[in-house]
Amino acid sequence: MAIRVPINLASEPFRRDRPLFIASIAACLTLVVTLGLEINTIARERRQAASTRAGIARVNGQLRTIGSEQSKLDGTLRRPENSEVLERSVFLNELIERKSISWTRIFADLEKVLPYNLRLVSVRLPEVNSQNQVFLDMVVSAKDVAPVLDFLRKLEASPQFGPTSFVNALPPSQTDPFFRYHVTVSYAQKL
């Protein structure tokens, strides 16, 4: 007995689904690989974030420890019996800072930038701020304004000096025929 398979090629034509099926499988495999890479990236970033959080927590703990030690030391220094020693120490440190500034070096550096037709009238004791920056406060005089402007340009161009600023200017008078300028400048002498 023969099995009859009813196939009518005219009503059910042969279709080529194999290339579409293979392309679908390739796309699915690509998506699965991409998903795996993304999961790996997310896991790595989470591990890095966790190690960063642990590092921040460790540094914050150290900061709290140092802060508590600093507050203990500050409390010890603020006691009445220690305040005199602290004040004397601050005074001596300020004296050492002032003494560490060389007047010979100041005048040698000023001599390099001072024009021939400008007089240096006075230089006050240099100020040292909390960042150990030295500031010179000086008065210069000249017969006209041009040497003063030249001096200021040379000061700002010099590696030993920094930005300058005018405090005030005095015109010539009957007793003094010179223009006087009060100038402040930062000075880069190493302490």
Side-chain angles (χ1 to χ4, degrees):
M1 174 147 101
I3 300 178
R4 286 188 66 194
V5 178
I7 294 179
N8 184 354
L9 291 177
S11 63
E12 294 180 27
F14 180 73
R15 295 182 358 192
R16 297 185 175 245
D17 291 338
R18 186 174 288 175
L20 184 61
F21 182 68
I22 291 174
S24 299
I25 290 175
C28 287
L29 287 176
T30 304
L31 290 174
V32 167
V33 169
T34 305
L35 178 64
L37 290 174
E38 286 296 320
I39 289 172
N40 186 21
T41 303
I42 291 170
R44 185 176 60 241
E45 287 179 0
R46 281 189 176 189
R47 286 191 301 271
Q48 287 176 349
S51 67
T52 302
R53 281 192 297 272
I56 289 172
R58 186 179 67 250
V59 169
N60 282 338
Q62 291 173 349
L63 185 62
R64 281 191 296 274
T65 303
I66 291 170
S68 66
E69 289 174 6
Q70 181 67 38
S71 63
K72 288 177 189 176
L73 291 174
D74 287 343
T76 303
L77 288 175
R78 287 193 182 105
R79 287 188 201 153
E81 62 268 13
N82 295 335
S83 64
E84 184 178 328
V85 174
L86 180 63
E87 288 174 10
R88 185 163 190 248
S89 173
V90 169
F91 174 71
L92 290 175
N93 284 337
E94 287 177 359
L95 282 179
I96 290 169
E97 280 181 1
R98 288 186 183 261
K99 187 64 180 159
S100 67
I101 299 171
S102 170
W103 282 98
T104 307
R105 186 183 247 171
I106 289 173
F107 286 117
D109 290 339
L110 281 172
E111 185 178 6
K112 293 175 187 174
V113 295
L114 197 65
Y116 72 94
N117 51 356
L118 185 75
R119 291 185 348 187
L120 183 63
V121 177
S122 68
V123 178
R124 290 193 184 156
L125 190 63
E127 295 179 24
V128 180
N129 66 7
S130 61
Q131 288 86 23
N132 283 337
Q133 293 175 329
V134 180
F135 291 95
L136 297 178
D137 188 17
M138 58 186 139
V139 176
V140 294
S141 66
K143 289 204 182 242
D144 59 356
V145 179
V148 177
L149 295 176
D150 184 38
F151 175 61
L152 294 176
R153 275 192 295 266
K154 287 181 179 180
L155 276 176
E156 290 184 352
S158 173
Q160 287 87 14
F161 299 98
T164 60
S165 63
F166 276 116
V167 177
N168 62 10
L170 295 173
S173 65
Q174 291 179 348
T175 59
D176 187 13
F178 296 103
F179 288 94
R180 287 183 178 253
Y181 294 93
H182 186 183
V183 177
T184 59
V185 63
S186 65
Y187 181 55
Q189 187 178 40
K190 301 295 183 201
L191 297 179

